[in-house]
Amino acid sequence: MDSVAEMTPFPGYDEAALPGGVEATKESRYRAEGRVPISAEAVASIEAAAASVGVTRMPWERYRL
């Protein structure tokens, strides 16, 4: 792992990483922040699916600004 960290990253990347490294970093950040970001498109899709089975209130309603 140390030798990978010392490698020159591909253009457009800040660092070289092993498979799963980026995901592990994101998971740590999401845990610290207490939330996982979801795109607006994903939220709309989830809400449409929920509405189709009669669910009208989403758990994230209380977090919207």
Side-chain angles (χ1 to χ4, degrees):
M1 289 191 306
D2 292 336
S3 61
V4 171
E6 294 172 4
M7 294 174 73
T8 302
F10 283 115
Y13 291 88
D14 296 329
E15 62 185 7
L18 292 169
V22 172
E23 293 81 2
T25 300
K26 286 181 179 181
E27 180 185 358
S28 294
R29 187 176 80 232
Y30 298 160
R31 284 182 186 276
E33 293 173 356
R35 65 187 202 110
V36 176
I38 303 174
S39 70
E41 294 83 11
V43 168
S45 178
I46 293 167
E47 289 175 343
S52 75
V53 295
V55 176
T56 58
R57 183 157 162 70
M58 299 290 104
W60 52 75
E61 297 272 331
R62 62 185 151 174
Y63 300 109
R64 289 196 179 165
L65 301 175

